[in-house]
Amino acid sequence: RVAGETNAPLWEIGRDFGFDYRPAPAERWPEVTISTPRDTHGPFALKLIGGHQAHNAALAVAAVGRLR
């Protein structure tokens, strides 16, 4: 609602960008691949455990891509 009222673009995870999180096998880091309208980034090692960390990484990459 606020985005519409202020004429601000709204990107939603799962609709406008997304990620694929692959938990790590023993003694390795999990991997994440992030997709934005412009590019696909990865897969790369995510040195933080948990799917929520992949979600955070996707938000950061999408924000930087939007600012470009």
Side-chain angles (χ1 to χ4, degrees):
R1 176 183 68 78
V2 173
E5 290 172 359
T6 59
N7 199 31
L10 175 66
W11 276 19
E12 292 185 56
I13 198 160
R15 186 187 76 183
D16 302 302
F17 64 98
F19 67 96
D20 178 35
Y21 173 70
R22 288 173 301 288
E27 300 181 24
R28 298 197 59 187
W29 294 108
E31 290 185 341
V32 63
T33 301
I34 300 168
S35 301
T36 65
R38 280 189 161 172
D39 296 304
T40 298
H41 308 273
F44 55 89
L46 184 63
K47 296 187 178 184
L48 300 167
I49 306 288
H52 65 286
Q53 299 293 357
H55 184 272
N56 291 341
L59 291 172
V61 169
V64 169
R66 184 69 182 158
L67 291 170
R68 288 177 69 195

